[in-house]
């Protein structure tokens, strides 16, 4: 740089100086200077050669040497890993039925105790524990008119809306299996095939049943098939 003087008549010097200042690189802090090109190329070369050396000499293969592969623990949650294939049909129906029961619990209560005078109990109910066919009919098409559950009367306006349109045969099978084996109840499984047969036989039915209409099914079990294999 030219010496600083108060008066420099040589204007061409200034002209030369400005482009030179512009070309100047900004100061880099020590330790953050970019590495020279040859260092970068050398590092790349080492990485490539080192990698191929691992594959050739040390027989490294990512599929077999993946350090994370062996660390994958089995998922402990029930019902995962292929939709619950590891659960037996009963366990699976109970698990899914419990979820579907959310629909019923609003009326029959989570405890299955119902509400006196309004919603009959499922816990210890002679209906629930009686023939499976009557229960399937109740859930498919609904129920109204006076009934007696555990000796208590349930009369209008107490009515159960049909669930056949919202629930599949499998859903109904699951939820009935669930209520027959919850709240202290102990009963057999209701299968999808049982529900299917009743739905098919009553497909013309558009109105809820009355208790009296279903009396004849009180002890009738729906045509029983072997429980389907777990899905
Ligand atoms: C909107 C309220 C409501 C919902 C939701 C409901 N129910 Fe009911 N349920 C009733 C009423 C009310 C009766 C009694 C009807 C009568 O008095 O004729 C009844 C009767 C029954 C009965 C026969 C009586 C007994 O207590 O054992 C069964 C079984 C039953 N419901 C099961 C279910 C299942 C399973 C679900 C869910 C899929 C369900 N209900 C959803 C209100 C409901």
């Amino acid at each position: 740089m030219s010496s600083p003087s108060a008066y420099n008549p040589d204007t061409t010097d200034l002209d030369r100086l400005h482009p030179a200042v512009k070309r100047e690189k900004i100061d880099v802090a020590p330790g953050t200077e970019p590495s020279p090109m040859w260092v970068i190329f050398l590092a790349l070369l080492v990485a490539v050669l080192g990698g191929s050396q691992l594959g050739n000499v040390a027989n490294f293969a990512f599929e077999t040497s993946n350090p994370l592969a062996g660390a994958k623990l089995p998922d402990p949650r029930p019902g995962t890993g292929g939709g619950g294939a590891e659960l037996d049909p009963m366990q699976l129906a109970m698990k899914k039925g419990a979820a579907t029961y959310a629909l019923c619990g609003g009326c029959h209560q989570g405890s299955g105790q119902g509400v006196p005078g309004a919603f009959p109990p499922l816990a210890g109910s002679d209906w629930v524990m009686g023939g499976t066919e009557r229960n399937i009919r109740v859930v498919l098409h609904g129920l109204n008119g006076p009934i007696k559950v555990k000796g208590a009367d349930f009369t209008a306006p107490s009515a159960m809306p049909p669930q056949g349109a919202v629930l599949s045969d499998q859903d109904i099978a699951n939820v009935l299996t669930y209520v027959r084996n919850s709240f202290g109840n102990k009963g057999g499984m209701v299968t999808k095939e049982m529900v299917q047969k009743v739905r098919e036989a009553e497909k013309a039915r558009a109105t809820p049943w009355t208790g009296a209409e279903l009396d004849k099914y009180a002890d009738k079990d729906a045509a029983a098939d072997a429980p389907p294999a777990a899905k």
Side-chain angles (χ1 to χ4, degrees):
M1 214 195 265
S2 56
S3 62
S5 64
Y7 174 61
N8 186 351
D10 183 2
T11 53
T12 61
D13 193 28
L14 257 183
D15 284 344
R16 273 202 322 273
L17 189 63
H18 279 202
V21 167
K22 279 192 212 148
R23 277 200 306 276
E24 194 92 337
K25 294 230 173 72
I26 50 164
D27 282 348
V28 273
T32 66
E33 306 93 342
S35 8
M37 264 315 185
W38 68 265
V39 172
I40 295 174
F41 279 123
L42 188 68
L44 274 176
L45 194 68
V46 167
V48 169
L49 290 182
S52 64
Q53 198 67 357
L54 266 182
N56 285 337
V57 179
N59 255 336
F60 181 91
F62 192 71
E63 304 81 66
T64 49
S65 313
N66 180 358
L68 297 175
K72 191 161 188 278
L73 297 171
D75 191 335
R77 290 174 297 174
T80 53
E86 75 282 7
L87 297 177
D88 70 34
M90 181 67 167
Q91 284 177 304
L92 191 60
M94 289 297 284
K95 177 179 173 296
K96 297 197 164 171
T100 304
Y101 186 74
L103 196 69
C104 327
C107 295
H108 294 285
Q109 307 300 297
S111 60
Q113 299 296 331
V115 175
F119 305 119
L122 302 178
S125 156
D126 36 318
W127 283 64
V128 171
M129 297 320 296
T132 51
E133 173 145 3
R134 186 163 65 167
N135 291 294
I136 293 171
R137 282 168 187 263
V138 167
V139 175
L140 272 174
H141 303 108
L143 180 68
N144 63 26
I147 60 165
K148 240 188 206 327
V149 181
K150 288 170 84 178
D153 285 316
F154 292 85
T155 50
S158 177
M160 168 152 163
Q163 309 292 322
V166 271
L167 298 180
S168 69
D169 296 343
Q170 185 68 69
D171 292 336
I172 293 174
N174 291 340
V175 79
L176 282 175
T177 299
Y178 175 78
V179 298
R180 283 164 64 80
N181 290 281
S182 303
F183 327 122
N185 296 343
K186 195 106 202 76
M189 266 186 91
V190 174
T191 66
K192 178 176 89 180
E193 286 75 11
M194 296 176 189
V195 181
Q196 209 172 354
K197 283 197 175 134
V198 178
R199 196 195 280 269
E200 185 57 30
E202 297 294 346
K203 60 171 183 259
R205 182 86 196 183
T207 51
W209 302 102
T210 62
E213 275 179 302
L214 293 184
D215 273 351
K216 60 171 180 261
Y217 301 108
D219 296 316
K220 185 172 182 286
D221 277 325
D225 299 295
K231 288 222 179 61

